[in-house]
Amino acid sequence: MRKLAEQSSGAAVEITQAIDTMDTVTIEANEEFTHMLEKTRINLGKANQSRDSFDELMGGINGVSSTINGMQHKLSELKGMVPELEAATVSFASVSQETSASSEMMLESSKEQIEQLKSTHEIGLQLTSLSQSLSDLLMKFHIK
């Protein structure tokens, strides 16, 4: 009986040690799970920040894309105007050349008119001089 009591006592000690070991393992596992939970929360926070940054980036990309589409539309409109502007430019250049040629002709005509005016003035001066001479001669022959 004594032997049985010793065996029971030994078994109780082993069971107590096993329970203590299980308690220690449970505490360590609980601490490890708590540590893993904290890491998971940190990683989840970083994932949320990454998602927010990505959403912001996508918003910027969408804005730039929209701006580029608007520019492309405006460029298409300008492309349609180019032939009309080109025709207007050619027409303007043609009118400018005609105006320049007309201005040169008017300048030459004006120079000729100035020369004729000078000539007419000279003739007028000569006529005035002759008139004065004639008047002086007539005064000599004046009948009283």
Side-chain angles (χ1 to χ4, degrees), residues 3 10-11 16 19 28-29 33 37 66 75 86 89 91-92 94 96 102 107 109-110 138-139:
K3 198 172 183 181
T16 302
I19 289 174
E28 288 175 0
F33 280 124
L37 177 63
S66 178
L75 286 173
E86 185 178 15
T89 302
S91 176
F92 181 73
S94 175
S96 292
S102 294
L107 179 63
S109 179
S110 292
L138 280 174
M139 289 295 242

Side-chain angles (χ1 to χ4, degrees), residues 3-72:
K3 198 172 183 181
L4 189 57
E6 284 179 8
Q7 285 178 348
S8 281
S9 176
V13 170
E14 284 180 18
I15 290 173
T16 302
Q17 287 177 347
I19 289 174
D20 286 344
T21 302
M22 285 173 53
D23 191 35
T24 302
V25 168
T26 302
I27 290 171
E28 288 175 0
N30 186 29
E31 287 175 358
E32 188 62 34
F33 280 124
T34 302
H35 182 67
M36 287 172 54
L37 177 63
E38 187 59 33
K39 276 190 167 184
T40 301
R41 285 183 179 154
I42 290 170
N43 288 338
L44 184 60
K46 288 180 181 179
N48 285 333
Q49 287 176 344
S50 295
R51 185 194 66 223
D52 292 344
S53 295
F54 185 75
D55 288 346
E56 186 178 333
L57 177 64
M58 287 304 296
I61 289 171
N62 287 337
V64 169
S65 178
S66 178
T67 301
I68 288 172
N69 286 337
M71 288 176 160
Q72 187 176 18

